[in-house]
Amino acid sequence: MADSAPPLPAGLTTRPLEKTDAHAVFVLMAAQEQEDIGTVAIEEADIVSDWARPSHDLGARSVGVFDGDTLVAYAELMGADRADTSVLPSHRGRGIGTWLAHWLQDLGRRMGSTVIGMPVPQGSPGDRLLEDLGFHVRWTSWVLKLPEGATIPDRDLPDGYVVRTAEAGELRAAHDVLEDAFLEWSKRDREPFEDFAASTSGRPGFEPWNLRVALDPAGEVVGVSVVLVSDNGATGYVDRLAVRRDQRNRGLAQALLVDSFARAREHGTTTSELSTDSRTGALSLYERVGMVADSTWVNRGIDLV
């Protein structure tokens, strides 16, 4: 371990995670979310699809902490700076989170990262721990919800534009629109197309209607929404939403958003959710279609150089 990380409590063991650990990680993360925010947002498919990305070397970038056969904590680093970690509530207060934070910093340095950061519910034990360890707030994010029973507003499209289910041959164009838009404010490498495909069309349970596109009069993809349905079928989650820079301020984002809500409701959901953060400046867009903040998170990071 680098720096002055404390040892793990006696009796705990560690090893790199394997893809077969996805369910155990889901159970662990779900227990932490239930404790911290009173609900479970994580889906096992989120973990499975993340780990299916060809660029992600799970064995080299993860660690599980075990108490006997039970996974009680884990950490992983995806890409240059995106860390995720979780500790079972019953095992908090024993120095495991501190050990994981140091492990992640050591891994980040070996991988050449200049900074690592992770999302935590604002004011949660994880938030307080990271603050004590010198992690600063990089940005704030909100999970927004369209309340159950809320009327989905109408949004007209400009003449000649259409929103519909993406066709198979439009997946790469959709990826380009999303990445061009997200990289305007997100400081990271461009996501490989193969990683995007793994997390969308390759995601467990994915159906063609989950990928929505806005087409201009020439038939080009100029806007994209990825809308997923929760495992319990109750929530439609807008995972990504973007409009090409030269096509903005025409109402396309709102049209894609309400279309996503409506299609999810057609497939049995009762609420819709999405997440946005302070880097995007998009909070007011979502509020204009009736969404309200349901929980607040912060991304805490630490410089490694």
Side-chain angles (χ1 to χ4, degrees):
M1 290 296 298
D3 304 324
S4 57
L8 280 171
L12 300 183
T13 60
T14 65
R15 66 164 171 80
L17 293 173
E18 302 170 353
K19 288 185 177 181
T20 53
D21 293 314
H23 181 70
V25 171
F26 163 72
V27 171
L28 168 62
M29 295 183 73
Q32 178 172 284
E33 289 184 346
Q34 186 65 52
E35 178 76 12
D36 290 346
I37 61 175
T39 189
V40 176
I42 188 69
E43 302 270 347
E44 187 168 344
D46 297 331
I47 300 164
V48 171
S49 58
D50 267 355
W51 289 1
R53 295 168 186 255
S55 69
H56 186 47
D57 187 345
L58 179 64
R61 288 174 165 265
S62 69
V63 64
V65 180
F66 293 83
D67 188 349
D69 293 331
T70 303
L71 180 69
V72 298
Y74 96 105
E76 70 173 316
L77 180 65
M78 184 168 287
D81 70 342
R82 175 189 154 187
D84 287 294
T85 184
S86 186
V87 178
L88 199 66
S90 62
H91 283 64
R92 285 175 170 168
R94 301 173 61 185
I96 300 173
T98 299
W99 187 89
L100 289 172
H102 282 271
W103 183 90
L104 282 166
Q105 291 174 71
D106 188 42
L107 175 63
R109 292 187 182 99
R110 296 200 311 270
M111 294 292 180
S113 302
T114 59
V115 61
I116 60 168
M118 66 193 80
V120 286
Q122 188 177 57
S124 67
D127 184 19
R128 295 192 296 270
L129 172 63
L130 291 178
E131 183 178 23
D132 290 344
L133 293 175
F135 284 68
H136 60 276
V137 174
R138 299 201 292 173
W139 58 81
T140 300
S141 60
W142 303 270
V143 175
L144 296 115
K145 177 177 290 188
L146 186 71
E148 184 173 355
T151 300
I152 298 174
D154 292 325
R155 291 293 186 268
D156 293 330
L157 287 164
D159 289 343
Y161 288 75
V162 64
V163 170
R164 60 161 169 76
T165 296
E167 297 176 355
E170 293 169 336
L171 189 61
R172 190 173 292 274
H175 172 251
D176 287 343
V177 168
L178 288 167
E179 280 298 282
D180 288 347
F182 277 59
L183 288 174
E184 291 175 23
W185 48 265
S186 180
K187 296 180 180 179
R188 58 170 173 77
D189 292 336
R190 191 176 186 86
E191 177 190 49
F193 171 73
E194 292 75 15
D195 283 9
F196 172 71
S199 63
T200 51
S201 58
R203 178 188 172 93
F206 179 87
E207 297 181 12
W209 73 267
N210 296 139
L211 184 60
R212 320 298 302 162
V213 290
L215 306 180
D216 69 4
E220 290 190 27
V221 175
V222 296
V224 181
S225 175
V226 181
V227 56
L228 307 171
V229 174
S230 62
D231 285 346
N232 63 11
T235 303
Y237 185 81
V238 179
D239 186 55
R240 308 193 201 190
L241 176 73
V243 172
R244 204 171 72 188
R245 180 193 284 269
D246 65 318
Q247 296 285 334
R248 292 174 193 163
N249 300 313
R250 301 182 182 187
L252 298 181
Q254 290 193 49
L256 278 164
L257 196 58
V258 299
D259 169 81
S260 297
F261 295 161
R263 300 294 79 74
R265 189 172 288 183
E266 286 176 356
H267 286 81
T269 66
T270 56
T271 63
S272 292
E273 294 182 354
L274 58 76
S275 178
T276 190
D277 69 56
S278 51
R279 297 172 297 171
T280 70
L283 181 60
S284 61
L285 163 68
Y286 306 128
E287 292 174 333
R288 286 197 294 272
V289 296
M291 304 197 81
V292 295
D294 192 53
S295 61
T296 302
W297 296 62
V298 289
N299 187 291
R300 284 197 176 269
I302 193 165
D303 296 329
L304 302 180
V305 293

